[in-house]
């Protein structure tokens, strides 16, 4: 069985409907495993092929068969350049027929021509293993020609530094761990399903002159500092079994349902996503100057390669841009770009950009579709999901706006690598919120795994996906905040009041920090009035402090206020009904409820006590 036709003629070879669906979605594309020697491409690939009912091809074995000698002998007799040329030609032949599972040699993916062929004819999967794991696997194998040196371990690490940026261009990444191969097989199947969900056909590739290096996107930087982990900061705790490198969350709203895709490389895939979401549509990218410097070029390149016409609207960064004046400019610039109602607005940035661009999309031509590409953690787990859009007024935060759902959310985990630590911490406060309102086990998981969330990788994706699932479930049941959705405002009544008194000065207080103080205040208030145990309030405060977030009003530098100022600011909150204060209160961690008509006197007494402690 060596062709796509033979697979299609034998559907009984794939009995599992899920796997059969995946094979059908591949069409004539192959699954191509890439990665360094010892990552398990051959053994894992063989089992993967068995599960999918596809042929398995080991590229190195094909090269040896074609040459009539081992790879070590090819290196010894003809040198590495001759081997690489033969490897390139063999890979071109293997990719002509599919679907298959192909295990490549460790250097195959470094060749530009081979990468381009794989992009057109396959789905590339990087089996990513840590250096120590790889060294443990290969150190006793004497047939590796590239490791024939005085210090093979140093050679291995040098090769990894050289090859990592190329492997990182694979369509999906799966961690190669010690353990049963079936675990890796299941993770590959899930990752390829995820990838095919938003990229069911090969991307449109520009035909580039191999020597035209300026036409190619830059490779990621190569870590070079001695002693530093090769693949970023190491998590101090093991990932939870549910953790993964990519995830998809569905927001169920009938005809307006949409997907949240979470994983690496999604900005680079945005053009293909937009083309399939709205064939023939043009788009306007709304972003701020800071985000534009980091991510706009990559997004524009993706749109160009997908054949999508676009224009860009760049505004000043910061909460102050959520104003009437900037909103008017964004709308006018989108109209000047001659975008029609069937075109798209892309919000590329954090919560400010998402709120502002979404409100513009809701308003222009009485409603345009829009895509959220959140680049901050706070936006990825909260503001990009659920359709709340708007701008601020001198009377309060987000008081002018509309409910307008996006058509797609692309949460690119790579974008968080450029986020300052302070901004990442601020976004983490919103993740904590989801554990507090209704998922005590998730909060306990965060207490143990927060370092892994900060470090990146599967723990981070797991935390983002869990947060998005929680919000998606609530939004699906209460889109316009008539009831249950108000739970998402835990800590926000306090937090928004602090932001208003602070005049939205991001130098002193950013939104996530205000939420952190608000969460701690909410639990201490509940403990004061006897709703929850003081131990729960202490536990919430301890965790927020452990990750470096503020938990007391006194933690906000230079902010002077009194209890009456706080109450007045709270009365301007959107959740106030007929002048009565509305709070989200807690009976325990993971058990919150919406309380209306909370007595102002009780809140004032609590605030006076907080302010008088000086803590």
């Amino acid at each position: 069985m060596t062709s796509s036709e033979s697979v299609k003629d034998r559907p009984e070879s794939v009995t599992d409907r899920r796997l059969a669906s995946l094979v059908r979605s591949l069409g004539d594309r192959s699954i191509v495993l890439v990665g360094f020697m010892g990552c398990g491409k051959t053994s894992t690939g063989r089992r993967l092929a068995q599960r999918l009912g596809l042929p398995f091809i080991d590229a190195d074995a094909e090269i040896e068969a074609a040459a009539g000698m081992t790879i070590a002998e090819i290196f010894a007799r003809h040198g590495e350049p001759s081997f690489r040329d033969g490897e390139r030609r063999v890979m071109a032949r293997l990719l002509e027929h599919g679907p298959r599972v192909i295990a490549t040699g460790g250097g195959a993916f470094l060749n530009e021509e081979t990468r381009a062929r794989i992009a057109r004819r396959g789905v590339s999967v990087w089996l990513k293993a840590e250096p120590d794991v790889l060294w443990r696997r290969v150190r006793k194998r004497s047939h590796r020609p590239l490791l024939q040196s005085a210090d093979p371990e140093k050679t291995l690490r040098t090769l990894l530094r050289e090859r990592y940026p190329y492997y990182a261009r694979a369509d999906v990444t799966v961690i190669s761990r010690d353990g049963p191969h079936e675990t890796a097989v299941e993770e590959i199947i899930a990752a390829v399903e995820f990838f095919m969900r938003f990229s069911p056909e090969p991307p449109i590739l520009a035909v580039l002159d191999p020597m035209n290096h300026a036409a190619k996107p830059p490779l990621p930087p190569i870590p070079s500092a001695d002693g530093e982990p090769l693949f970023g900061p190491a998590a101090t705790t093991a990932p939870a079994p549910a953790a993964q490198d990519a995830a998809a969350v569905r927001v169920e709203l009938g005809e307006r349902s949409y997907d949240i895709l979470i994983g690496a490389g999604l900005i680079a895939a945005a053009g293909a996503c937009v083309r399939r979401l709205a064939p023939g549509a043009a788009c306007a990218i709304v972003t701020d100057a800071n985000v534009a410097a980091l991510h706009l070029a990559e997004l524009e390149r993706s749109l160009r390669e997908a054949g999508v016409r676009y224009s860009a609207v760049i505004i000043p960064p910061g909460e102050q841009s959520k104003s009437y004046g900037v909103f008017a400019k964004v709308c006018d610039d989108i109209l000047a770009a001659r975008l029609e109602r069937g075109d798209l607005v892309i919000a590329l940035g954090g919560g400010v950009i998402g709120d502002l661009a979404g409100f513009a999309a809701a308003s222009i031509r009485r409603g345009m579709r829009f895509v959220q590409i959140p680049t901050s953690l706070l936006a990825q787990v909260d503001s990009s999901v659920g359709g709340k859009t708007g701008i601020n007024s001198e009377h309060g935060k987000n008081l002018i706006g509309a409910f307008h759902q996006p058509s797609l959310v692309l949460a690119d985990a790579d974008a968080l690598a450029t986020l300052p630590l302070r901004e990442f911490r601020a976004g983490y406060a919103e993740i904590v919120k989801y554990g507090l309102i209704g998922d005590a086990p998730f909060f306990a998981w965060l207490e143990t795994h927060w370092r892994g969330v900060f470090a990146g990788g599967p723990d981070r994706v797991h935390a983002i996906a869990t947060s998005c699932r929680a919000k998606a479930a609530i939004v699906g049941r209460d889109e316009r905040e008539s009831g249950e959705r108000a739970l998402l405002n835990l800590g926000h009544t306090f937090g928004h009041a602090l932001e208003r008194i602070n005049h939205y000065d991001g130098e002193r207080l950013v939104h996530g920090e205000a939420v952190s103080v608000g969460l701690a205040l909410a639990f201490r208030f509940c403990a004061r009035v006897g709703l929850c145990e003081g131990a729960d309030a202490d536990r919430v405060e301890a965790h927020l402090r452990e990750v470096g977030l503020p938990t007391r009003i006194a933690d906000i530098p230079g902010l002077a206020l009194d209890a009456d100022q706080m109450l007045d600011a709270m009365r301007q909150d959107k959740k106030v009904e007929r002048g009565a204060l509305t709070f989200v209160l807690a009976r325990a961690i993971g058990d919150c409820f919406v309380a209306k008509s909370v007595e102002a006197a009780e809140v004032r007494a609590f605030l006076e006590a907080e302010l008088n402690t000086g803590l």
Side-chain angles (χ1 to χ4, degrees), residues 19 75-76 98 108 111 114 225 266-267 276 292 331 382 389 398 496 509 527:
L19 302 184
F75 267 74
N111 181 271
T114 297
L266 291 178
I267 293 177
R276 277 180 282 281
C331 291
D382 188 65
T389 71
N398 296 327
H496 282 168
L509 183 73

Side-chain angles (χ1 to χ4, degrees), residues 212-236:
N212 183 10
H213 300 291
K216 293 176 290 190
L219 291 170
I222 303 173
S224 58
D226 291 337
E228 292 186 1
L230 182 62
F231 300 126
T236 59

Side-chain angles (χ1 to χ4, degrees), residues 392-433:
N392 300 332
S393 160
E394 64 178 14
H395 298 290
K397 186 180 175 73
N398 296 327
L399 294 181
I400 300 108
F403 284 95
H404 188 57
Q405 298 293 341
S407 297
L408 178 68
V409 180
L410 301 176
D412 190 334
D414 287 345
L416 302 181
T418 62
L419 208 62
L421 178 59
R422 182 187 182 193
E423 293 292 335
F424 192 91
R425 283 181 178 138
Y428 183 80
E430 292 283 2
I431 292 178
V432 171
K433 177 192 73 177

Side-chain angles (χ1 to χ4, degrees), residues 109-329:
F109 203 61
L110 278 62
N111 181 271
E112 181 180 359
E113 180 182 329
T114 297
R115 287 199 309 276
R117 288 183 184 275
I118 293 172
R120 290 193 295 269
R121 302 285 301 169
V123 178
S124 51
V125 178
W126 177 20
L127 285 178
K128 176 181 176 182
E130 296 295 331
D132 290 343
V133 173
L134 291 172
W135 174 240
R136 188 168 62 250
R137 292 176 182 176
V138 305
R139 62 185 175 183
K140 295 181 180 179
R141 301 178 188 178
S142 60
H143 67 284
R144 305 285 187 177
L146 291 179
L147 297 184
Q148 304 305 307
S149 66
D151 189 344
E153 182 178 3
K154 182 179 179 181
T155 300
L156 178 143
R157 293 179 181 273
T158 299
L159 288 169
L160 285 174
R161 289 191 177 93
E162 295 171 352
R163 294 182 177 187
Y164 162 69
Y166 296 93
Y167 295 148
R169 288 185 163 194
D171 295 319
V172 298
T173 300
V174 170
I175 303 300
S176 174
R177 305 179 180 89
D178 290 335
H181 287 94
E182 286 70 22
T183 301
V185 168
E186 285 299 326
E187 291 180 354
I188 292 171
I189 290 171
V192 173
E193 283 179 321
F194 164 78
F195 175 78
M196 296 301 293
R197 185 169 185 177
F198 71 86
S199 184
E201 60 187 53
I204 297 174
L205 297 176
V207 179
L208 300 176
D209 179 354
M211 299 305 294
N212 183 10
H213 300 291
K216 293 176 290 190
L219 291 170
I222 303 173
S224 58
D226 291 337
E228 292 186 1
L230 182 62
F231 300 126
T236 59
T237 54
Q244 51 194 344
D245 289 308
V249 176
R250 185 74 170 168
V251 182
E252 295 290 353
L253 290 168
E255 294 181 353
R256 293 174 296 106
S257 298
Y258 56 94
D259 287 321
I260 308 163
L261 304 180
I262 306 155
L266 291 178
I267 293 177
C273 295
V274 168
R275 187 185 68 235
R276 277 180 282 281
L277 179 66
C283 66
I285 306 165
V286 180
T287 188
D288 67 44
N290 289 345
V291 175
L294 296 168
H295 305 296
L296 181 58
E298 183 178 27
L299 177 57
E300 289 179 328
R301 180 169 53 247
S302 176
L303 293 169
R304 284 195 304 272
E305 290 176 353
V308 178
R309 179 174 68 86
Y310 66 88
S311 61
V313 180
I314 302 175
I315 66 169
E319 189 75 24
Q320 290 80 2
S321 285
K322 284 176 59 173
S323 65
Y324 290 107
V326 177
F327 171 71
K329 179 186 183 304

